[in-house]
Amino acid sequence: MASVVFTPNLERHLSCPTAEVAAGSVRHVLREVFAKNPRLRGYLLDDQGELRKHVVAFVDGRQLSSKDGLETTLGSDSELYVMQALSGG
Amino acid sequence: MSPTTHLDVATRKGLFLLQRAADGNWRIDGTAFLAESVTMVLRDGRDGLLYAALRHGHFGVKFQRSSDGGAHWEECATPLYPDKPEESDETTPWSLDQIWALEAGGVDQPGRLWAGTLPGGLFRSDDRGDSWHLVRSLWDRPERANWFGGGYDHPGIHSICVDPRDSDRVLVAVSCGGVWQTEDGGDNWRLTSEGMFAEYMPPERRHDPTIQDPHRVVRCAGDPDHLWASHHNGVFRSTDGGNSWSEVPNVAPSVFGFATAVAPNDPATAWFVPAVKDEHRIPVAGQVVVARTGDGGESFEVLRAGLPQEHGYDLVFRHALDVASDGEELVMGSTTGNLWSSQDRGESWQAISHHLPPIYAARFS
């Protein structure tokens, strides 16, 4: 199972504990998380389903590119960190 | 006419809820969303609900509702743009950037809300914000291809005027996309920018109704065919329900500004907060003043008592000037965090606070 860890800053707005989900693309993994936590989707993705401009994500320590980053594949022991960017505050 | 009892102030760093104290002065009675950007607030006179539009820097726009005057809040639905067609080549993103205008529908439409947004979509809710629908009849108009950003990167709807005589008649104003009206609750729209012009555009486009930049449009509550507009080119007025507009050139000390208010009981009385035009956007000569006409724009008085007259750099955004239902009391909030009220139609101003965050909107109710 892959781990999905969210910035604690999100806890100001809604609960989003670390999730364990089956491996797959980042888009797929996030979709699984959103199925159990629907409000979270709008905090991380824009209306077109892409990562918000000022949200960044890392897979096993590597930052996702803004282009096609959601198609990055997670392994069964991968960790996905979803953070707020330092920009956008 | 019910007395004004609330003053709600939306700022870059939170929502401030004021009530009139026993001595008649306004006091901050509550706060909400401190440190968050609150772009708009609405206290709905039909049912008492309080709404706040948030714009998180990282996590997007959120819409909040309170049924107890702001003590407790619940997040309700956020307007959501539909999927952008793959074949679309427009540069405007189909993604909500900001709720820029928020108005209640008519008294005969309980629960109806209108939200004007960046990047240019008008949304309607008929269930107090539990769900929203993009008004496709306006969004899909081919003229939208001519719209462009004014101040922001993309177009936006900042003014929504519901006709108190007929709730299905709604006027909206777009920066930069002109003035639009519906007479059937939003099924069909007419472009009604006739008379507005933009000297800063190439000659062949100056009178193009689809690119006009009304900064703010307000309707006289007691005489709804009378409307006033601050436009990027100057002030305009309509006396025929917004169907045509005529220039009001005499505003002193300048015709450029954003904040606009019209007396609810006198369509010939209106207030503006002039600034140096275009990219400057600071008070003329560092003096914060209010321009008032009482004769339909033929002449203006420059009102300055109680306002900074030396090195004052307050800009008053388009939603940060309001007039109470009595037509006597005004409130004005600035980018510098000053909040002033006037009890005498703007003749003199008293500070409520000098140190709020930058003020986006100030509304009486």
Side-chain angles (χ1 to χ4, degrees), chain A residues 65-86:
Chain A
S65 69
S66 56
K67 186 174 185 297
D68 300 329
L70 292 179
E71 309 312 323
T72 303
T73 301
L74 276 72
S76 58
D77 57 351
S78 288
E79 285 186 323
L80 169 63
Y81 274 81
V82 182
M83 322 286 289
Q84 63 186 42
L86 299 188

Side-chain angles (χ1 to χ4, degrees), chain B residues 228 234-237 246-251 255 272 293 296-298 300:
Chain B
W228 290 84
V235 170
F236 291 86
R237 183 186 185 206
S246 54
E247 186 188 19
V248 179
N250 297 327
V251 189
V255 298
F272 304 86
T293 179
E298 291 296 317
F300 281 84

Side-chain angles (χ1 to χ4, degrees), chain B residues 58-103:
Chain B
H58 302 93
F59 304 123
V61 174
K62 303 290 175 276
F63 192 65
Q64 297 270 349
R65 178 175 64 200
S66 173
S67 59
D68 57 8
H72 303 88
W73 294 85
E74 60 175 327
E75 185 179 321
C76 33
T78 302
L80 188 73
Y81 280 80
D83 290 344
K84 188 175 186 177
E86 289 187 9
E87 66 275 16
S88 172
D89 60 357
E90 72 166 285
T91 56
T92 298
W94 288 33
S95 197
L96 180 62
D97 181 45
Q98 180 173 322
I99 294 176
W100 208 8
L102 182 65
E103 299 294 344

Side-chain angles (χ1 to χ4, degrees), chain B residues 148-163:
Chain B
F148 53 82
Y152 290 96
D153 290 346
H154 299 288
I157 294 175
H158 47 66
S159 297
I160 302 169
C161 303
V162 178
D163 192 326

Side-chain angles (χ1 to χ4, degrees), chain B:
Chain B
M1 189 182 303
S2 57
T4 301
T5 55
H6 292 91
L7 171 55
D8 303 314
V9 180
T11 81
R12 175 71 178 82
K13 291 289 180 181
L15 176 64
F16 297 82
L17 307 172
L18 291 82
Q19 290 203 20
R20 201 187 300 279
D23 61 5
N25 294 317
W26 291 103
R27 299 270 192 276
I28 297 174
D29 188 57
T31 62
F33 313 114
L34 284 179
E36 307 295 349
S37 179
V38 182
T39 61
M40 185 44 67
V41 60
L42 171 67
R43 191 180 291 265
D44 193 334
R46 300 168 301 177
D47 52 22
L49 292 176
L50 186 59
Y51 299 96
L54 277 59
R55 186 196 200 195
H56 296 301
H58 302 93
F59 304 123
V61 174
K62 303 290 175 276
F63 192 65
Q64 297 270 349
R65 178 175 64 200
S66 173
S67 59
D68 57 8
H72 303 88
W73 294 85
E74 60 175 327
E75 185 179 321
C76 33
T78 302
L80 188 73
Y81 280 80
D83 290 344
K84 188 175 186 177
E86 289 187 9
E87 66 275 16
S88 172
D89 60 357
E90 72 166 285
T91 56
T92 298
W94 288 33
S95 197
L96 180 62
D97 181 45
Q98 180 173 322
I99 294 176
W100 208 8
L102 182 65
E103 299 294 344
V107 293
D108 57 334
Q109 298 169 330
R112 174 167 293 185
L113 301 172
W114 297 97
T117 72
L118 295 158
L122 177 69
F123 287 82
R124 193 180 98 185
S125 173
D126 286 316
D127 52 15
R128 300 173 174 81
D130 284 337
S131 65
W132 292 92
H133 305 281
L134 176 65
V135 178
R136 292 298 300 244
S137 52
L138 185 58
W139 182 250
D140 292 335
R141 289 288 297 231
E143 297 92 335
R144 191 174 62 81
N146 288 346
W147 297 6
F148 53 82
Y152 290 96
D153 290 346
H154 299 288
I157 294 175
H158 47 66
S159 297
I160 302 169
C161 303
V162 178
D163 192 326
R165 301 164 299 188
D166 180 351
S167 304
D168 284 336
R169 294 182 55 169
V170 181
L171 177 150
V172 303
V174 187
S175 286
C176 305
V179 175
W180 293 79
Q181 293 192 62
T182 178
E183 273 119 35
D184 53 16
D187 290 339
N188 296 279
W189 292 87
R190 289 187 297 122
L191 178 58
T192 60
S193 315
E194 179 67 34
M196 290 181 170
F197 59 89
E199 290 289 343
Y200 47 85
M201 289 292 286
E204 62 273 16
R205 300 294 300 277
R206 287 177 184 167
H207 292 270
D208 181 345
T210 68
I211 57 82
Q212 297 301 319
D213 182 16
H215 287 171
R216 177 72 170 141
V217 175
V218 294
R219 186 195 293 274
C220 177
D223 202 343
D225 281 339
H226 290 251
L227 298 100
W228 290 84
S230 285
H231 181 290
H232 201 81
N233 202 94
V235 170
F236 291 86
R237 183 186 185 206
S238 173
T239 58
D240 61 2
N243 289 314
S244 65
W245 299 85
S246 54
E247 186 188 19
V248 179
N250 297 327
V251 189
S254 82
V255 298
F256 184 90
F258 298 89
T260 310
V262 55
N265 47 5
D266 178 10
T269 295
W271 295 264
F272 304 86
V273 187
V276 182
K277 70 176 183 176
D278 287 334
E279 74 276 19
H280 295 287
R281 304 182 185 203
I282 56 173
V284 177
Q287 297 177 331
V288 181
V289 301
V290 172
R292 181 184 68 195
T293 179
D295 56 12
E298 291 296 317
S299 64
F300 281 84
E301 297 171 88
V302 178
L303 311 172
R304 58 182 81 235
L307 299 173
Q309 295 303 296
E310 188 174 354
H311 287 293
Y313 299 107
D314 299 75
L315 185 69
V316 177
F317 281 155
R318 70 199 76 215
H319 302 114
L321 171 69
D322 198 14
V323 56
S325 56
D326 64 1
E328 296 287 323
E329 183 171 22
L330 291 107
V331 64
M332 176 169 74
S334 83
T335 52
T336 311
N338 281 306
L339 183 67
W340 295 287
S341 68
S342 170
Q343 308 297 323
D344 52 11
R345 301 168 69 247
E347 290 286 338
S348 62
W349 297 83
Q350 299 79 42
I352 299 171
S353 175
H354 287 304
H355 39 69
L356 290 175
I359 292 170
Y360 293 147
R363 304 187 83 167
F364 285 126
S365 61

